[in-house]
Structure formats: C-alpha cells, structure tokens
Amino acid sequence: MSDKLLAFGIPGVIFGSLIYILISGNIEKHSMVLDRTLSKWQSLYHLDEGQKAEIKRIEVEFHGKGNPFAVRTEHSREEIREHHVSISKVMKPEDGSRFLEAMEREQRSH
C-alpha cells in the first residue's frame, strides 16, 4: 500500500504542482497586463477608481482571467464593438467617444 502511495503520490504531487504553477502564473501575468492597460486608460480617459474597477470587471467578464485551460471564445467583430461600447459607457461621454474612436482606429481588441 505505501509503495503504491509513493509510486503514484509523489509524481501526482509533482504534476499537480506544475499545473498549479502554470495556471497561477498565467493568471498573474494576465492580471498584470490588465492592470497596466487600466493604468494607461486611467490617465488617458480620466478614470476614477470606481470607473477603473467597473471596467476591470467588464474586461474580466469578456476576456476571462487568463486561465490557460479555460475555453477561449472567439468574439465576432460586433461582440468586440459591443464590449468597447460597454466600456465607453462607464466613462464620461467625451472620454468614452475618444475611447471608441481609438479602438475603431486600431481595429483590434485591446
């Protein structure tokens, strides 16, 4: 019994640890990139902390948390546009308009 535990338990713990490190590392990297983007947007679009937090919630809901094993949804151009519109509505009207123009100009998902 203890031989089987050693034979399967140790490799299982090692494998589980590697998976945990991979997942948590990707989630942390994704969070850092999102925080960097939000900091940039905060100065560009004059966001207060409440707006920044709401936009972060919208971003995580749309793009996910960065789990490499999560199913990735391919979003249509229209879904991306609607996503940008929902972000712009959190901003002051003039900043939201500038945000939408920038996203359309870049023709990409941020």
Side-chain angles (χ1 to χ4, degrees):
M1 177 71 165
S2 66
D3 289 341
K4 286 184 181 179
L5 184 62
L6 284 175
F8 294 107
I10 292 175
V13 168
I14 291 170
F15 182 71
S17 297
L18 291 174
I19 295 296
Y20 173 77
I21 290 168
L22 173 67
I23 291 171
S24 63
N26 266 17
I27 290 171
E28 184 177 332
K29 180 180 175 187
H30 179 78
S31 181
M32 288 172 44
V33 168
L34 179 55
D35 287 342
R36 226 175 312 156
T37 298
L38 290 171
S39 291
K40 178 181 157 189
W41 289 354
Q42 187 171 25
S43 64
L44 281 173
Y45 303 112
H46 312 101
L47 304 176
D48 62 32
E49 290 302 318
Q51 290 169 311
K52 187 176 171 183
E54 177 61 12
I55 291 171
K56 184 173 188 171
R57 186 197 62 74
I58 292 168
E59 284 287 280
V60 169
E61 185 177 292
F62 189 76
H63 295 290
K65 293 183 179 183
N67 182 343
F69 296 107
V71 176
R72 298 221 167 141
T73 304
E74 284 293 321
H75 297 288
S76 69
R77 187 175 292 264
E78 184 58 34
E79 289 172 322
I80 293 169
R81 169 89 172 125
E82 289 173 19
H83 171 62
H84 291 156
V85 167
S86 69
I87 291 172
S88 74
K89 288 180 178 180
V90 175
M91 301 174 181
K92 295 175 192 155
E94 59 276 5
D95 291 321
S97 293
R98 286 189 316 107
F99 173 79
L100 285 176
E101 288 172 11
M103 292 299 110
E104 288 174 5
R105 201 172 38 248
E106 293 176 20
Q107 290 294 317
R108 63 176 182 89
S109 181
H110 43 277

